[in-house]
Amino acid sequence: MKKKMVYFDYAATTPLDPRVFAAMKPHFAEGFGNPANLYGLGRDARYAIADATKKIEAALGCRASEFVFTGSATESDNIALQGIARANKDAGDTIIVSNVEHKGILAVTQALAKEGFTIVELPVGTDGLVRPEDLERVLNERIVLVSITSADSETGSLQPIAELGAVIKAFRDAHQRSTPYFHTDASQAALYQDLQVDSLGVDLMTLSAHKLHGPKGVGGLYVRRGVKIVPIIFGGGQQGRLRSGTENVPGIVGFGEAMAIAQAERERESARIAKLRDKLEQGIFARIPKVVLNGHPTRRLPNFLNVSILDIEGEAMLLYLDESGILVNTGSACNSESLEPSYVLMALGRPYEFIHGSIRFTLGKGTTEADIDYVLRELPGIVKILRRVSPLELSMDHNAVTAQPKAFIGGQTPHFLRKKK
């Protein structure tokens, strides 16, 4: 008999919407033309890309020439950060990011630091948010780029992007400069948030199709007209020479269709999912003692719930839930191969012991009330089992937590906290 599966990891990836797949199908076989070719088959492919681009334009409020399709959000982030940094060396050598950026951003800044760029990491508060006044305090004429992710991929906390954009614009106007430019990775937020680039005040925006019930392997980057940027991939000069390579026509078509569906259903789905998320949150806090919410309590995506359940270890809880067919995550999907404590939760001031009991539920289009009820039936029993064998006895006051759990006495690290080899 097939095991019941309840999916609560929509932040990691989303299932392909059947309507998106239907739009893509013709371009895998009969509509296989190269959009660079002038004959009919190539023109058809080019028209398909143009149609998909119009759907992106509508969502972002941008021009077709201001959007390039890439292979992923990671590639888009690389183009944005590397392309801006190298193109504007004459204007400055400093890039500002937050200390809770996705590794797709932080890995790029680490590489740019080796090229001689100065990286400034703005700290967030215990709610996970960057304060506009903190950004205003550090802005100077050496800064060429500010990059702040719209929604954190572990807690769902929503950064004040429009307010940060206003701070940057005021600085540029006061100093009569075109820099610093403002980039945001909106991949996680795109299903539920307004993406109009002018109202947000951003110059560059990263998106990803597979976070929108679109296909994997296709992302995009908005680049405002007039922004000084250079490519990191060279070749045939497609897409305004910013991203060479034959376009992924089925993927682009799927991206456009997924974006159009997301925009049409955004308000209705946001309200439905927020109601389910709140029921899950309230149910967990009512049924399980010693639970701490991670991230901002209200300023977060409607589908995110990240909690620390004290006195147990998150990976053990994940595996028990998996046995019950409940699929969750203990943090960002890109960190799932590591037992190192989440740098995002550490930035929020969470103790090491709290972090190892963290678990992230992210809801989505397929989530039902029956799914919530199932989790609330299964999770309390799993927590009881794990607490019964746990060596930990933590205080809810994280300031009172000792530096190491009891199991470290005698120098022996408990097996569930040992780093994988």
Side-chain angles (χ1 to χ4, degrees):
M1 186 170 126
K2 188 176 180 181
K3 184 170 75 172
K4 178 182 179 71
M5 188 186 85
V6 182
Y7 187 67
F8 280 94
D9 202 17
Y10 284 86
T13 194
T14 58
L16 189 68
D17 188 304
R19 293 168 291 180
V20 173
F21 184 51
M24 295 171 64
K25 278 178 71 175
H27 302 281
F28 283 110
E30 60 267 26
F32 63 89
N34 186 326
N37 293 139
L38 296 178
Y39 47 71
L41 200 60
R43 291 198 304 273
D44 289 344
R46 193 158 62 253
Y47 296 152
I49 291 175
D51 184 58
T53 306
K54 286 179 183 176
K55 296 170 183 176
I56 305 289
E57 286 178 67
L60 273 60
C62 68
R63 303 176 179 91
S65 60
E66 293 177 312
F67 195 82
V68 298
F69 293 98
T70 66
S72 64
T74 299
E75 183 189 341
S76 297
D77 287 341
N78 272 266
I79 294 172
L81 271 69
Q82 294 187 58
I84 292 293
R86 291 170 184 162
N88 294 275
K89 278 185 176 180
D90 57 334
D93 61 358
T94 303
I95 298 168
I96 294 179
V97 295
S98 79
N99 64 345
V100 294
E101 293 300 299
H102 191 278
K103 286 195 173 180
I105 296 289
L106 296 180
V108 186
T109 58
Q110 289 168 10
L112 288 171
K114 293 177 182 177
E115 294 183 22
F117 290 94
T118 299
I119 310 301
V120 176
E121 291 190 5
L122 278 179
V124 296
T126 56
D127 55 8
L129 302 186
V130 173
R131 302 289 184 265
E133 57 269 27
D134 290 342
L135 174 60
E136 186 175 18
R137 197 159 34 242
V138 300
L139 284 178
N140 63 62
E141 295 189 10
R142 299 301 304 166
I143 296 164
V144 294
L145 180 68
V146 178
S147 182
I148 306 291
T149 298
S150 293
D152 175 60
S153 61
E154 292 198 37
T155 66
S157 294
L158 287 165
Q159 297 294 349
I161 297 299
E163 293 93 327
L164 296 171
V167 168
I168 294 168
K169 183 179 185 302
F171 177 86
R172 292 193 304 221
D173 289 348
H175 294 269
Q176 297 184 331
R177 296 173 58 86
S178 60
T179 58
Y181 297 121
F182 187 26
H183 167 254
T184 188
D185 186 325
S187 302
Q188 202 65 254
L191 261 179
Y192 303 106
Q193 294 296 297
D194 181 6
L195 299 176
Q196 292 287 306
V197 292
D198 285 341
S199 60
L200 291 172
V202 297
D203 302 298
L204 304 101
M205 178 187 284
T206 289
L207 294 170
S208 178
H210 82 99
K211 305 287 189 178
L212 294 164
H213 296 278
K216 295 176 179 64
V218 59
L221 179 66
Y222 159 74
V223 183
R224 187 180 294 278
R225 180 182 290 183
V227 165
K228 190 177 176 183
I229 188 169
V230 295
I232 63 170
I233 294 175
F234 300 89
Q238 291 90 341
Q239 301 195 78
R241 300 188 180 278
L242 186 55
R243 204 278 190 176
S244 291
T246 301
E247 295 91 340
N248 173 6
V249 179
I252 289 171
V253 168
F255 191 176
E257 186 68 13
M259 181 63 81
I261 292 170
Q263 291 299 301
E265 299 178 351
R266 176 164 60 92
E267 290 188 10
R268 183 176 72 251
E269 271 296 284
S270 292
R272 183 187 75 85
I273 287 173
K275 185 176 178 182
L276 291 175
R277 188 271 314 275
D278 291 346
K279 178 178 179 177
L280 176 62
E281 181 176 333
Q282 292 160 14
I284 288 174
F285 276 82
R287 290 166 173 78
I288 302 171
K290 300 177 72 173
V291 179
V292 177
L293 178 69
N294 296 316
H296 199 285
T298 57
R299 188 166 181 150
R300 56 179 157 145
L301 289 172
N303 66 322
F304 264 73
L305 175 61
N306 188 313
V307 294
S308 289
I309 301 178
L310 305 192
D311 301 337
I312 61 176
E313 199 277 322
E315 189 174 73
M317 183 164 44
L318 181 152
L319 294 174
Y320 268 83
L321 286 167
D322 185 41
E323 281 299 305
S324 296
I326 300 168
L327 310 184
V328 298
N329 213 298
T330 56
S332 169
C334 295
N335 293 333
S336 60
E337 293 302 311
S338 171
L339 287 181
E340 291 300 306
S342 160
Y343 67 90
V344 171
L345 299 186
M346 288 182 72
L348 272 57
R350 293 287 184 251
Y352 179 91
E353 297 84 356
F354 279 38
I355 295 170
H356 270 292
S358 68
I359 189 165
R360 183 192 71 182
F361 294 90
T362 47
L363 291 65
K365 192 176 291 186
T367 307
T368 66
E369 193 160 4
D371 295 337
I372 304 298
D373 292 337
Y374 182 60
V375 171
L376 294 177
R377 283 198 306 270
E378 295 291 311
L379 183 59
I382 290 170
V383 171
K384 282 183 181 178
I385 291 170
L386 293 174
R387 280 179 172 165
R388 198 176 301 135
V389 297
S390 172
L392 302 178
E393 186 72 41
L394 300 175
S395 167
M396 284 287 284
D397 178 7
H398 73 253
N399 293 315
V401 176
T402 54
Q404 294 181 325
K406 294 177 186 176
F408 278 62
I409 294 172
Q412 294 298 311
T413 304
H415 69 88
F416 55 81
L417 292 184
R418 290 178 193 151
K419 189 173 180 181
K420 290 178 179 177
K421 294 182 179 179

